[in-house]
Amino acid sequence: EEKLPDVLTVSERVSVLSDIFATSVAGLSPIDRYLHSLENFAKDQDPYVLGLTISQISELEQLLEPSSKSGYQGFVVKCLKPQLERLGYTRKATDDDLTAELRARLIKTLGTIGNDKQVIAFCREKFEAYLADDKTLDGDLLSPIVQVMAYNGDSDEFVRIEEAWRNSTTPEARNRNLFALAAFRDKECVEKALNLCFNKEVKAQDVPHLLARLIGSSDSQAAAFKFLGDHWQEIYDKVGE
């Protein structure tokens, strides 16, 4: 497995990693074999292989028992932190769009499910500039900065991001801030995010996306499903089929 990147093409490496993940999730092969393979594939510098690695690391986290998540954080950092250090935290003149996107995904993943203190500190340092004038920052980093701050935030950050959402002057900023409100793990913040579904400022077409993010997170999933069941008719009336 450690030699696979040397003997397989990019498409073959993507296919092999996808197959190992699928068989492990299906219970057809041991999860420790998959984790060993993932750790090896995480060294791959090809953007498509690395992108798939990041996606699988995020998807696997949603399947873990809560007791396993703290141990998983170290695994995530071990796999992805060297890649971020290789790319650096800021965009270079030689970076193409795919590289810039990978940097953003690495920062988001390490700052959330990886619980990497250095990445979280980087996002916290940029947060004031983000709120004051996000045009002063690298556009690729806006989403990871606000997502990491929300994921690690409490009611204070919720209020500030909610205000940024209301004051957004572009559709991109408005959606970015609105959907970041679904990244909070604090129970009170999760309830506030759910109740935004009935806020007149939230467009009907955005409600399913907001709910999908809340249901898609293991930290807010139970509350979101209950909310959906309790308010099904009201939500249906707002968003339609």
Short mmCIF file of all heavy atoms in Angstrom, two decimals, residues 109-173:
data_model
loop_
_atom_site.label_atom_id
_atom_site.label_comp_id
_atom_site.label_asym_id
_atom_site.label_seq_id
_atom_site.Cartn_x
_atom_site.Cartn_y
_atom_site.Cartn_z
N THR A 109 -11.05 21.44 7.72
CA THR A 109 -11.07 20.11 8.32
C THR A 109 -10.21 20.04 9.57
O THR A 109 -10.62 19.47 10.59
CB THR A 109 -10.62 19.05 7.30
OG1 THR A 109 -11.39 19.20 6.10
CG2 THR A 109 -10.79 17.65 7.84
N LEU A 110 -9.02 20.62 9.51
CA LEU A 110 -8.13 20.60 10.67
C LEU A 110 -8.68 21.46 11.81
O LEU A 110 -8.52 21.13 12.99
CB LEU A 110 -6.74 21.09 10.26
CG LEU A 110 -5.90 20.08 9.47
CD1 LEU A 110 -4.74 20.77 8.77
CD2 LEU A 110 -5.39 18.97 10.38
N GLY A 111 -9.35 22.55 11.46
CA GLY A 111 -9.87 23.45 12.48
C GLY A 111 -11.18 23.01 13.09
O GLY A 111 -11.61 23.55 14.11
N THR A 112 -11.80 22.00 12.48
CA THR A 112 -13.07 21.48 13.01
C THR A 112 -12.83 20.08 13.58
O THR A 112 -12.47 19.94 14.74
CB THR A 112 -14.17 21.49 11.94
OG1 THR A 112 -13.72 20.77 10.76
CG2 THR A 112 -14.52 22.91 11.54
N ILE A 113 -12.98 19.05 12.77
CA ILE A 113 -12.88 17.69 13.30
C ILE A 113 -11.45 17.33 13.73
O ILE A 113 -11.27 16.40 14.52
CB ILE A 113 -13.41 16.65 12.30
CG1 ILE A 113 -12.59 16.64 11.00
CG2 ILE A 113 -14.87 16.90 11.99
CD1 ILE A 113 -13.03 15.55 10.03
N GLY A 114 -10.45 18.06 13.25
CA GLY A 114 -9.08 17.81 13.68
C GLY A 114 -8.72 18.49 14.99
O GLY A 114 -7.76 18.12 15.65
N ASN A 115 -9.49 19.53 15.34
CA ASN A 115 -9.27 20.27 16.59
C ASN A 115 -7.81 20.73 16.72
O ASN A 115 -7.23 20.70 17.80
CB ASN A 115 -9.66 19.42 17.81
CG ASN A 115 -9.77 20.24 19.08
OD1 ASN A 115 -10.18 21.40 19.05
ND2 ASN A 115 -9.40 19.65 20.20
N ASP A 116 -7.23 21.16 15.60
CA ASP A 116 -5.83 21.60 15.61
C ASP A 116 -5.74 23.02 16.16
O ASP A 116 -6.30 23.95 15.59
CB ASP A 116 -5.26 21.55 14.19
CG ASP A 116 -3.78 21.87 14.15
OD1 ASP A 116 -3.43 23.07 14.07
OD2 ASP A 116 -2.98 20.92 14.23
N LYS A 117 -5.05 23.17 17.26
CA LYS A 117 -5.00 24.46 17.96
C LYS A 117 -4.37 25.56 17.13
O LYS A 117 -4.78 26.72 17.18
CB LYS A 117 -4.26 24.30 19.29
CG LYS A 117 -4.84 23.25 20.22
CD LYS A 117 -6.33 23.50 20.51
CE LYS A 117 -6.89 22.47 21.47
NZ LYS A 117 -8.37 22.59 21.63
N GLN A 118 -3.37 25.22 16.34
CA GLN A 118 -2.70 26.22 15.52
C GLN A 118 -3.63 26.74 14.43
O GLN A 118 -3.69 27.95 14.16
CB GLN A 118 -1.43 25.62 14.89
CG GLN A 118 -0.60 26.64 14.11
CD GLN A 118 0.67 26.01 13.53
OE1 GLN A 118 0.85 24.80 13.55
NE2 GLN A 118 1.54 26.85 13.01
N VAL A 119 -4.37 25.85 13.81
CA VAL A 119 -5.31 26.24 12.76
C VAL A 119 -6.46 27.07 13.35
O VAL A 119 -6.87 28.09 12.78
CB VAL A 119 -5.85 25.01 12.02
CG1 VAL A 119 -6.98 25.39 11.07
CG2 VAL A 119 -4.73 24.32 11.25
N ILE A 120 -6.96 26.64 14.51
CA ILE A 120 -8.03 27.39 15.17
C ILE A 120 -7.54 28.80 15.53
O ILE A 120 -8.27 29.79 15.33
CB ILE A 120 -8.52 26.64 16.42
CG1 ILE A 120 -9.19 25.33 16.02
CG2 ILE A 120 -9.51 27.51 17.22
CD1 ILE A 120 -9.50 24.41 17.18
N ALA A 121 -6.32 28.91 16.03
CA ALA A 121 -5.76 30.21 16.38
C ALA A 121 -5.61 31.09 15.13
O ALA A 121 -5.85 32.31 15.19
CB ALA A 121 -4.40 30.03 17.06
N PHE A 122 -5.22 30.50 14.02
CA PHE A 122 -5.10 31.23 12.75
C PHE A 122 -6.45 31.82 12.36
O PHE A 122 -6.55 33.00 11.99
CB PHE A 122 -4.58 30.30 11.66
CG PHE A 122 -4.64 30.88 10.28
CD1 PHE A 122 -3.67 31.76 9.83
CD2 PHE A 122 -5.68 30.55 9.41
CE1 PHE A 122 -3.73 32.30 8.54
CE2 PHE A 122 -5.75 31.09 8.13
CZ PHE A 122 -4.77 31.97 7.70
N CYS A 123 -7.51 31.02 12.44
CA CYS A 123 -8.84 31.49 12.07
C CYS A 123 -9.34 32.55 13.05
O CYS A 123 -9.98 33.53 12.64
CB CYS A 123 -9.81 30.31 12.01
SG CYS A 123 -9.45 29.14 10.68
N ARG A 124 -9.06 32.36 14.32
CA ARG A 124 -9.48 33.35 15.33
C ARG A 124 -8.77 34.69 15.08
O ARG A 124 -9.37 35.75 15.24
CB ARG A 124 -9.18 32.81 16.73
CG ARG A 124 -9.67 33.72 17.85
CD ARG A 124 -9.62 33.03 19.19
NE ARG A 124 -10.65 32.00 19.31
CZ ARG A 124 -10.41 30.72 19.49
NH1 ARG A 124 -9.18 30.27 19.57
NH2 ARG A 124 -11.40 29.85 19.60
N GLU A 125 -7.51 34.62 14.70
CA GLU A 125 -6.75 35.84 14.43
C GLU A 125 -7.35 36.61 13.24
O GLU A 125 -7.34 37.84 13.23
CB GLU A 125 -5.29 35.47 14.13
CG GLU A 125 -4.41 36.64 13.75
CD GLU A 125 -3.05 36.20 13.23
OE1 GLU A 125 -2.67 35.02 13.43
OE2 GLU A 125 -2.38 37.02 12.59
N LYS A 126 -7.88 35.89 12.25
CA LYS A 126 -8.43 36.51 11.05
C LYS A 126 -9.90 36.92 11.21
O LYS A 126 -10.44 37.62 10.36
CB LYS A 126 -8.31 35.54 9.86
CG LYS A 126 -6.90 35.09 9.54
CD LYS A 126 -6.04 36.22 9.04
CE LYS A 126 -4.65 35.73 8.65
NZ LYS A 126 -3.76 36.86 8.25
N PHE A 127 -10.53 36.46 12.28
CA PHE A 127 -11.97 36.62 12.42
C PHE A 127 -12.39 38.08 12.52
O PHE A 127 -13.42 38.48 11.94
CB PHE A 127 -12.47 35.84 13.65
CG PHE A 127 -13.96 35.75 13.76
CD1 PHE A 127 -14.74 35.31 12.70
CD2 PHE A 127 -14.60 36.09 14.95
CE1 PHE A 127 -16.12 35.20 12.81
CE2 PHE A 127 -15.98 35.99 15.07
CZ PHE A 127 -16.73 35.54 14.00
N GLU A 128 -11.64 38.90 13.23
CA GLU A 128 -12.00 40.32 13.36
C GLU A 128 -11.96 41.01 12.00
O GLU A 128 -12.85 41.80 11.67
CB GLU A 128 -11.08 41.02 14.35
CG GLU A 128 -11.20 40.53 15.78
CD GLU A 128 -12.60 40.65 16.34
OE1 GLU A 128 -13.31 41.63 16.01
OE2 GLU A 128 -13.01 39.76 17.11
N ALA A 129 -10.93 40.70 11.21
CA ALA A 129 -10.84 41.27 9.87
C ALA A 129 -11.99 40.76 9.00
O ALA A 129 -12.54 41.50 8.18
CB ALA A 129 -9.50 40.92 9.24
N TYR A 130 -12.35 39.50 9.19
CA TYR A 130 -13.47 38.92 8.45
C TYR A 130 -14.75 39.69 8.71
O TYR A 130 -15.50 40.01 7.78
CB TYR A 130 -13.64 37.45 8.85
CG TYR A 130 -14.86 36.80 8.24
CD1 TYR A 130 -14.79 36.18 6.99
CD2 TYR A 130 -16.10 36.82 8.89
CE1 TYR A 130 -15.91 35.59 6.42
CE2 TYR A 130 -17.22 36.24 8.32
CZ TYR A 130 -17.12 35.63 7.09
OH TYR A 130 -18.23 35.07 6.51
N LEU A 131 -15.01 39.99 9.97
CA LEU A 131 -16.24 40.70 10.33
C LEU A 131 -16.20 42.16 9.90
O LEU A 131 -17.22 42.72 9.51
CB LEU A 131 -16.46 40.61 11.85
CG LEU A 131 -16.74 39.21 12.41
CD1 LEU A 131 -16.78 39.27 13.92
CD2 LEU A 131 -18.03 38.63 11.86
N ALA A 132 -15.03 42.77 9.97
CA ALA A 132 -14.91 44.19 9.66
C ALA A 132 -14.99 44.45 8.15
O ALA A 132 -15.72 45.34 7.71
CB ALA A 132 -13.59 44.74 10.21
N ASP A 133 -14.25 43.65 7.38
CA ASP A 133 -14.25 43.83 5.92
C ASP A 133 -13.62 42.59 5.31
O ASP A 133 -12.39 42.50 5.21
CB ASP A 133 -13.47 45.08 5.53
CG ASP A 133 -13.51 45.34 4.02
OD1 ASP A 133 -14.21 44.61 3.31
OD2 ASP A 133 -12.81 46.28 3.57
N ASP A 134 -14.45 41.64 4.90
CA ASP A 134 -13.89 40.37 4.41
C ASP A 134 -13.12 40.53 3.10
O ASP A 134 -12.40 39.61 2.68
CB ASP A 134 -14.98 39.30 4.28
CG ASP A 134 -16.10 39.69 3.32
OD1 ASP A 134 -15.87 40.52 2.43
OD2 ASP A 134 -17.21 39.12 3.46
N LYS A 135 -13.23 41.70 2.46
CA LYS A 135 -12.49 41.91 1.21
C LYS A 135 -10.99 42.07 1.46
O LYS A 135 -10.19 42.02 0.53
CB LYS A 135 -13.02 43.14 0.47
CG LYS A 135 -14.47 43.01 0.02
CD LYS A 135 -14.93 44.25 -0.74
CE LYS A 135 -16.40 44.18 -1.09
NZ LYS A 135 -17.28 44.18 0.11
N THR A 136 -10.61 42.26 2.73
CA THR A 136 -9.19 42.40 3.05
C THR A 136 -8.50 41.05 3.16
O THR A 136 -7.28 40.98 3.29
CB THR A 136 -9.01 43.15 4.39
OG1 THR A 136 -9.61 42.37 5.44
CG2 THR A 136 -9.65 44.52 4.34
N LEU A 137 -9.28 39.96 3.09
CA LEU A 137 -8.72 38.62 3.24
C LEU A 137 -8.77 37.85 1.94
O LEU A 137 -9.51 38.20 1.01
CB LEU A 137 -9.52 37.85 4.31
CG LEU A 137 -9.52 38.45 5.72
CD1 LEU A 137 -10.49 37.67 6.61
CD2 LEU A 137 -8.13 38.42 6.33
N ASP A 138 -7.97 36.80 1.88
CA ASP A 138 -7.99 35.90 0.73
C ASP A 138 -9.38 35.29 0.61
O ASP A 138 -9.89 34.67 1.55
CB ASP A 138 -6.93 34.81 0.97
CG ASP A 138 -6.86 33.78 -0.15
OD1 ASP A 138 -7.67 33.87 -1.10
OD2 ASP A 138 -6.00 32.89 -0.07
N GLY A 139 -10.00 35.47 -0.54
CA GLY A 139 -11.37 35.00 -0.73
C GLY A 139 -11.54 33.51 -0.49
O GLY A 139 -12.60 33.06 -0.05
N ASP A 140 -10.50 32.72 -0.78
CA ASP A 140 -10.59 31.28 -0.59
C ASP A 140 -10.69 30.89 0.88
O ASP A 140 -11.17 29.80 1.21
CB ASP A 140 -9.37 30.59 -1.20
CG ASP A 140 -9.27 30.81 -2.69
OD1 ASP A 140 -10.24 30.48 -3.40
OD2 ASP A 140 -8.24 31.33 -3.15
N LEU A 141 -10.24 31.78 1.77
CA LEU A 141 -10.18 31.45 3.19
C LEU A 141 -11.40 31.94 3.97
O LEU A 141 -11.53 31.64 5.16
CB LEU A 141 -8.91 32.03 3.82
CG LEU A 141 -7.59 31.51 3.24
CD1 LEU A 141 -6.42 32.05 4.05
CD2 LEU A 141 -7.55 29.99 3.23
N LEU A 142 -12.29 32.68 3.33
CA LEU A 142 -13.43 33.25 4.06
C LEU A 142 -14.31 32.15 4.65
O LEU A 142 -14.70 32.21 5.82
CB LEU A 142 -14.24 34.15 3.12
CG LEU A 142 -13.50 35.37 2.57
CD1 LEU A 142 -14.41 36.16 1.64
CD2 LEU A 142 -12.97 36.25 3.69
N SER A 143 -14.66 31.16 3.84
CA SER A 143 -15.52 30.10 4.33
C SER A 143 -14.88 29.29 5.45
O SER A 143 -15.50 29.07 6.50
CB SER A 143 -15.94 29.18 3.18
OG SER A 143 -16.79 28.16 3.64
N PRO A 144 -13.61 28.83 5.30
CA PRO A 144 -13.02 28.08 6.41
C PRO A 144 -12.88 28.89 7.68
O PRO A 144 -13.07 28.36 8.78
CB PRO A 144 -11.66 27.62 5.88
CG PRO A 144 -11.42 28.39 4.64
CD PRO A 144 -12.75 28.77 4.10
N ILE A 145 -12.58 30.18 7.57
CA ILE A 145 -12.44 31.02 8.77
C ILE A 145 -13.74 31.05 9.55
O ILE A 145 -13.77 30.79 10.76
CB ILE A 145 -12.00 32.44 8.39
CG1 ILE A 145 -10.54 32.45 7.94
CG2 ILE A 145 -12.19 33.41 9.57
CD1 ILE A 145 -10.09 33.76 7.33
N VAL A 146 -14.85 31.35 8.90
CA VAL A 146 -16.12 31.49 9.61
C VAL A 146 -16.65 30.12 10.04
O VAL A 146 -17.26 29.99 11.11
CB VAL A 146 -17.15 32.26 8.75
CG1 VAL A 146 -17.62 31.46 7.56
CG2 VAL A 146 -18.31 32.72 9.61
N GLN A 147 -16.39 29.08 9.27
CA GLN A 147 -16.82 27.74 9.64
C GLN A 147 -16.08 27.24 10.89
O GLN A 147 -16.69 26.68 11.81
CB GLN A 147 -16.59 26.76 8.49
CG GLN A 147 -17.53 26.92 7.32
CD GLN A 147 -18.88 26.27 7.55
OE1 GLN A 147 -19.01 25.33 8.33
NE2 GLN A 147 -19.90 26.76 6.86
N VAL A 148 -14.78 27.46 10.92
CA VAL A 148 -13.98 27.03 12.08
C VAL A 148 -14.39 27.81 13.33
O VAL A 148 -14.51 27.25 14.42
CB VAL A 148 -12.48 27.20 11.80
CG1 VAL A 148 -11.65 27.04 13.08
CG2 VAL A 148 -12.02 26.20 10.74
N MET A 149 -14.65 29.11 13.17
CA MET A 149 -15.06 29.92 14.31
C MET A 149 -16.43 29.48 14.82
O MET A 149 -16.68 29.45 16.03
CB MET A 149 -15.09 31.40 13.93
CG MET A 149 -13.71 32.00 13.72
SD MET A 149 -12.63 31.85 15.17
CE MET A 149 -13.53 32.81 16.38
N ALA A 150 -17.33 29.12 13.91
CA ALA A 150 -18.65 28.66 14.33
C ALA A 150 -18.56 27.31 15.03
O ALA A 150 -19.13 27.10 16.10
CB ALA A 150 -19.58 28.57 13.12
N TYR A 151 -17.83 26.40 14.45
CA TYR A 151 -17.70 25.05 15.00
C TYR A 151 -17.14 25.08 16.42
O TYR A 151 -17.55 24.28 17.27
CB TYR A 151 -16.77 24.24 14.09
CG TYR A 151 -16.63 22.78 14.45
CD1 TYR A 151 -17.50 21.82 13.94
CD2 TYR A 151 -15.60 22.34 15.28
CE1 TYR A 151 -17.35 20.47 14.25
CE2 TYR A 151 -15.44 21.00 15.60
CZ TYR A 151 -16.32 20.07 15.08
OH TYR A 151 -16.16 18.74 15.39
N ASN A 152 -16.23 26.00 16.66
CA ASN A 152 -15.59 26.11 17.98
C ASN A 152 -16.18 27.21 18.84
O ASN A 152 -15.65 27.54 19.90
CB ASN A 152 -14.08 26.35 17.80
CG ASN A 152 -13.38 25.17 17.15
OD1 ASN A 152 -13.18 24.14 17.77
ND2 ASN A 152 -13.02 25.32 15.88
N GLY A 153 -17.30 27.80 18.39
CA GLY A 153 -17.83 28.99 19.04
C GLY A 153 -18.98 28.72 19.99
O GLY A 153 -19.48 27.60 20.10
N ASP A 154 -19.40 29.80 20.64
CA ASP A 154 -20.56 29.75 21.54
C ASP A 154 -21.51 30.87 21.15
O ASP A 154 -21.46 31.38 20.03
CB ASP A 154 -20.12 29.86 23.00
CG ASP A 154 -19.28 31.10 23.28
OD1 ASP A 154 -19.37 32.09 22.51
OD2 ASP A 154 -18.53 31.11 24.28
N SER A 155 -22.38 31.27 22.07
CA SER A 155 -23.42 32.25 21.74
C SER A 155 -22.85 33.59 21.30
O SER A 155 -23.46 34.29 20.49
CB SER A 155 -24.35 32.44 22.93
OG SER A 155 -23.63 32.83 24.09
N ASP A 156 -21.68 33.97 21.81
CA ASP A 156 -21.07 35.24 21.40
C ASP A 156 -20.74 35.24 19.91
O ASP A 156 -21.05 36.19 19.18
CB ASP A 156 -19.80 35.53 22.22
CG ASP A 156 -20.11 35.87 23.66
OD1 ASP A 156 -21.26 36.27 23.95
OD2 ASP A 156 -19.21 35.73 24.51
N GLU A 157 -20.08 34.15 19.46
CA GLU A 157 -19.76 34.04 18.04
C GLU A 157 -21.03 33.91 17.20
O GLU A 157 -21.10 34.44 16.08
CB GLU A 157 -18.84 32.83 17.79
CG GLU A 157 -17.38 33.05 18.13
CD GLU A 157 -17.11 32.96 19.62
OE1 GLU A 157 -17.94 32.35 20.34
OE2 GLU A 157 -16.08 33.50 20.08
N PHE A 158 -22.03 33.24 17.74
CA PHE A 158 -23.28 33.10 17.00
C PHE A 158 -23.89 34.47 16.72
O PHE A 158 -24.29 34.75 15.58
CB PHE A 158 -24.28 32.23 17.78
CG PHE A 158 -25.48 31.83 16.97
CD1 PHE A 158 -25.52 30.60 16.34
CD2 PHE A 158 -26.57 32.69 16.82
CE1 PHE A 158 -26.64 30.23 15.57
CE2 PHE A 158 -27.67 32.33 16.06
CZ PHE A 158 -27.70 31.09 15.44
N VAL A 159 -23.95 35.30 17.73
CA VAL A 159 -24.53 36.64 17.57
C VAL A 159 -23.74 37.44 16.53
O VAL A 159 -24.34 38.12 15.67
CB VAL A 159 -24.55 37.38 18.92
CG1 VAL A 159 -24.88 38.86 18.71
CG2 VAL A 159 -25.56 36.75 19.86
N ARG A 160 -22.43 37.32 16.55
CA ARG A 160 -21.60 38.11 15.63
C ARG A 160 -21.73 37.62 14.19
O ARG A 160 -21.78 38.42 13.26
CB ARG A 160 -20.14 38.07 16.09
CG ARG A 160 -19.94 38.60 17.51
CD ARG A 160 -18.49 38.70 17.87
NE ARG A 160 -17.89 39.87 17.24
CZ ARG A 160 -16.58 40.11 17.24
NH1 ARG A 160 -15.74 39.25 17.79
NH2 ARG A 160 -16.10 41.18 16.66
N ILE A 161 -21.80 36.30 14.01
CA ILE A 161 -21.96 35.76 12.65
C ILE A 161 -23.37 36.01 12.14
O ILE A 161 -23.58 36.31 10.96
CB ILE A 161 -21.61 34.25 12.62
CG1 ILE A 161 -20.12 34.06 12.95
CG2 ILE A 161 -21.92 33.66 11.25
CD1 ILE A 161 -19.70 32.62 13.11
N GLU A 162 -24.36 35.93 13.04
CA GLU A 162 -25.73 36.23 12.65
C GLU A 162 -25.84 37.69 12.21
O GLU A 162 -26.52 38.00 11.21
CB GLU A 162 -26.68 35.98 13.83
CG GLU A 162 -28.15 36.15 13.48
CD GLU A 162 -29.06 35.84 14.65
OE1 GLU A 162 -28.60 35.95 15.81
OE2 GLU A 162 -30.23 35.50 14.41
N GLU A 163 -25.16 38.58 12.89
CA GLU A 163 -25.16 39.99 12.50
C GLU A 163 -24.48 40.17 11.15
O GLU A 163 -24.93 40.95 10.30
CB GLU A 163 -24.45 40.82 13.57
CG GLU A 163 -24.47 42.32 13.29
CD GLU A 163 -23.77 43.12 14.39
OE1 GLU A 163 -23.32 42.53 15.38
OE2 GLU A 163 -23.68 44.35 14.23
N ALA A 164 -23.39 39.44 10.95
CA ALA A 164 -22.69 39.50 9.65
C ALA A 164 -23.60 39.00 8.53
O ALA A 164 -23.60 39.55 7.42
CB ALA A 164 -21.42 38.66 9.71
N TRP A 165 -24.40 37.98 8.82
CA TRP A 165 -25.35 37.47 7.83
C TRP A 165 -26.38 38.55 7.48
O TRP A 165 -26.64 38.81 6.30
CB TRP A 165 -26.05 36.22 8.39
CG TRP A 165 -27.34 35.89 7.71
CD1 TRP A 165 -27.51 35.56 6.39
CD2 TRP A 165 -28.66 35.90 8.30
NE1 TRP A 165 -28.85 35.34 6.12
CE2 TRP A 165 -29.57 35.53 7.27
CE3 TRP A 165 -29.14 36.14 9.57
CZ2 TRP A 165 -30.94 35.43 7.50
CZ3 TRP A 165 -30.50 36.02 9.80
CH2 TRP A 165 -31.38 35.68 8.77
N ARG A 166 -26.94 39.20 8.49
CA ARG A 166 -27.95 40.23 8.24
C ARG A 166 -27.37 41.43 7.49
O ARG A 166 -28.08 42.08 6.73
CB ARG A 166 -28.55 40.69 9.57
CG ARG A 166 -29.49 39.67 10.19
CD ARG A 166 -30.43 40.31 11.19
NE ARG A 166 -31.53 39.40 11.52
CZ ARG A 166 -31.53 38.57 12.54
NH1 ARG A 166 -30.50 38.53 13.35
NH2 ARG A 166 -32.57 37.78 12.76
N ASN A 167 -26.09 41.71 7.71
CA ASN A 167 -25.47 42.88 7.09
C ASN A 167 -24.73 42.55 5.79
O ASN A 167 -24.08 43.42 5.22
CB ASN A 167 -24.49 43.53 8.08
CG ASN A 167 -25.20 44.10 9.30
OD1 ASN A 167 -26.36 44.48 9.22
ND2 ASN A 167 -24.51 44.14 10.43
N SER A 168 -24.81 41.29 5.35
CA SER A 168 -24.10 40.89 4.14
C SER A 168 -24.61 41.69 2.94
O SER A 168 -25.81 41.91 2.79
CB SER A 168 -24.30 39.40 3.88
OG SER A 168 -23.76 38.64 4.92
N THR A 169 -23.66 42.10 2.09
CA THR A 169 -24.01 42.92 0.93
C THR A 169 -23.98 42.16 -0.39
O THR A 169 -24.31 42.71 -1.43
CB THR A 169 -23.06 44.13 0.84
OG1 THR A 169 -21.71 43.65 0.78
CG2 THR A 169 -23.22 45.04 2.06
N THR A 170 -23.54 40.90 -0.34
CA THR A 170 -23.52 40.08 -1.55
C THR A 170 -24.19 38.74 -1.26
O THR A 170 -24.19 38.28 -0.10
CB THR A 170 -22.08 39.81 -2.04
OG1 THR A 170 -21.40 38.99 -1.05
CG2 THR A 170 -21.32 41.11 -2.23
N PRO A 171 -24.76 38.08 -2.28
CA PRO A 171 -25.37 36.76 -2.06
C PRO A 171 -24.37 35.74 -1.52
O PRO A 171 -24.72 34.89 -0.70
CB PRO A 171 -25.87 36.38 -3.45
CG PRO A 171 -26.03 37.67 -4.18
CD PRO A 171 -24.95 38.57 -3.65
N GLU A 172 -23.10 35.83 -1.99
CA GLU A 172 -22.08 34.89 -1.54
C GLU A 172 -21.83 35.02 -0.04
O GLU A 172 -21.79 34.02 0.69
CB GLU A 172 -20.77 35.10 -2.30
CG GLU A 172 -20.83 34.79 -3.78
CD GLU A 172 -21.47 35.89 -4.61
OE1 GLU A 172 -21.70 37.01 -4.07
OE2 GLU A 172 -21.77 35.65 -5.79
N ALA A 173 -21.68 36.26 0.41
CA ALA A 173 -21.44 36.49 1.84
C ALA A 173 -22.66 36.11 2.67
O ALA A 173 -22.53 35.55 3.76
CB ALA A 173 -21.07 37.95 2.07
#
